[in-house]
Amino acid sequence: MSSQKAFQFPYIVGLHDTDAADYLFSANLIRICHIAYEAMMASLGFPLGSLLKQRDFALPIVHIEGDFKQRLTVSDELTISAWVSRLGGSSYTISYELRKPDGELCATASTVQVCVDWNSSKSQPLPAPLREALGRYSEA
Amino acid sequence: MSSQKAFQFPYIVGLHDTDAADYLFSANLIRICHIAYEAMMASLGFPLGSLLKQRDFALPIVHIEGDFKQRLTVSDELTISAWVSRLGGSSYTISYELRKPDGELCATASTVQVCVDWNSSKSQPLPAPLREALGRYSEA
Amino acid sequence: MSSQKAFQFPYIVGLHDTDAADYLFSANLIRICHIAYEAMMASLGFPLGSLLKQRDFALPIVHIEGDFKQRLTVSDELTISAWVSRLGGSSYTISYELRKPDGELCATASTVQVCVDWNSSKSQPLPAPLREALGRYSEA
Amino acid sequence: MSSQKAFQFPYIVGLHDTDAADYLFSANLIRICHIAYEAMMASLGFPLGSLLKQRDFALPIVHIEGDFKQRLTVSDELTISAWVSRLGGSSYTISYELRKPDGELCATASTVQVCVDWNSSKSQPLPAPLREALGRYSEA
């Protein structure tokens, strides 16, 4: 996507992200992307802490996916680009790219989130203000 | 303490517990002990999942402590001993020892938990049934 | 796949696996599956700790994927089925299913691992003994 | 200690840091402090990634300790102060304070690190340049 549209987030790989094989432990790719996602949501006026306090709707992740292109380890400096690659009626997909300072693509990931009623866990349409906000980082 | 009184829990160090220096990442000692604690609580009839569903009281941890005696890494087989080393009116301390199959002590830890009202977060006396249950693994 | 071929691993969702929305935190699905994978590898005679000590080859994960079918939270008892759904020349795919005691499918996942030289990180054929061992849990 | 001497690090509590009881999961306090520690070390010219690549000495943590003063949860904005509260011949203690924007103290922690030979794991004197660098954030 065009770089103008993506949310940019700096991240330094921490010792806690790595494993004894001296690689980024695979599951932690999704954790790292989620940190960028939370920062993106906060920048849009929807910090997760507020959504959780309201207990109105939840946005559980129903699908995660990640690909590793280059070995990553402690102290690696990354820029994470995050954008809304699909904006549906009650769900959306966030795509992520992790690059080193020289632009090298190290990993990609995506997550699918569904809007559900807090109590019943039944899917519901995305609230209009959230949908509109997500549009700011949307490809469409 | 006498081994009769401690709850015994087997644990194998996972890749996700380690770091790029090929050590158990320090914070994960507390996570591992908490897994043993949850198993102990379940064995006493107080699985954490049920306590959380009831939303009556919470048992937040207010103090953690750990000491590393031997290097631990992936696939190390451990036995965790957990026991109630202090049983107060509204709080208690769980102590932990992690040993290899040959009995070598690799790490110790302790956590202090306080009973609080779910909504107000104010401390309150431990419910009698929980207090009685914890007594089964208590030194006193 | 036929249940005879899958490696079975019991797992109880821990507090550390969950998040403030009272869901299994998405990234932790991959961490949990990796614990089952490590147990499978140990059962095949290839504990990860030994592979890492030998520093001969590594098996980095190049792709992860997961789908959530049912909400999971603290103290949920699961059985994880893990099997080799693809056994290539220098890589393999492990597939996972997480089910509750009543058989309900709660989540699925898969990971792709590539065999690489420890030092150069270049891909290489799977060592024959490992390939043969993986065949025990292979669909093919 | 005087605020001039402490390393300051901003941190926003992430969903992955929390648990289903809507608290910061206790072990994660140490993980969060370690992130601040890594940033402090990098600011001193000793990024952990470089130390690990050199494989000359390691700085394993032999003691961890933490106290929770206030409930912390998702999206809480913190400033972590980290300083060297003890600088010994072959070990040192880092102390941490976590405060909200209004200055409220939410948690404290400390970790003890020992300098050991990379291969033998035997303790050795802190290298002079590292010792000198740590002095910049030392109380003494």
Side-chain angles (χ1 to χ4, degrees), chain A residues 14-47:
Chain A
L15 189 61
H16 68 288
D17 289 320
T18 62
D19 61 30
D22 196 12
Y23 279 81
L24 176 74
F25 182 71
S26 62
N28 295 343
L29 171 60
I30 303 299
R31 182 171 73 188
I32 290 169
C33 289
H34 204 276
I35 296 171
Y37 166 72
E38 291 179 49
M40 186 185 86
M41 291 292 276
S43 81
L44 292 171
F46 291 89

Side-chain angles (χ1 to χ4, degrees), chain C residues 97-112:
Chain C
E97 285 182 358
L98 288 73
R99 291 180 187 275
K100 289 206 179 155
D102 63 3
E104 187 186 31
L105 183 63
C106 299
T108 60
S110 65
T111 56
V112 177

Side-chain angles (χ1 to χ4, degrees), chain B residues 11 13-16 22 31 34-35 38 47-50 52-53 55 73-76, chain C residues 11 13-16 22 31 34-35 38 47-50 52-53 55 73-76:
Chain B
Y11 188 80
V13 178
L15 189 61
H16 67 287
D22 196 11
R31 182 171 75 188
H34 203 276
I35 297 171
E38 291 180 48
L48 261 61
S50 302
L52 290 179
K53 274 191 194 75
R55 306 174 77 82
T73 190
V74 199
S75 304
D76 281 346
Chain C
Y11 188 80
V13 178
L15 189 60
H16 67 288
D22 196 11
R31 183 171 73 188
H34 203 276
I35 296 171
E38 291 179 49
L48 261 61
S50 302
L52 290 178
K53 274 191 193 76
R55 307 175 77 83
T73 191
V74 200
S75 304
D76 281 346

Side-chain angles (χ1 to χ4, degrees), chain D residues 115-132:
Chain D
C115 186
V116 302
D117 180 79
W118 184 273
N119 292 307
S120 72
S121 291
K122 284 193 184 155
S123 75
Q124 62 170 56
L126 284 166
L130 173 59
R131 210 174 181 288
E132 193 178 310

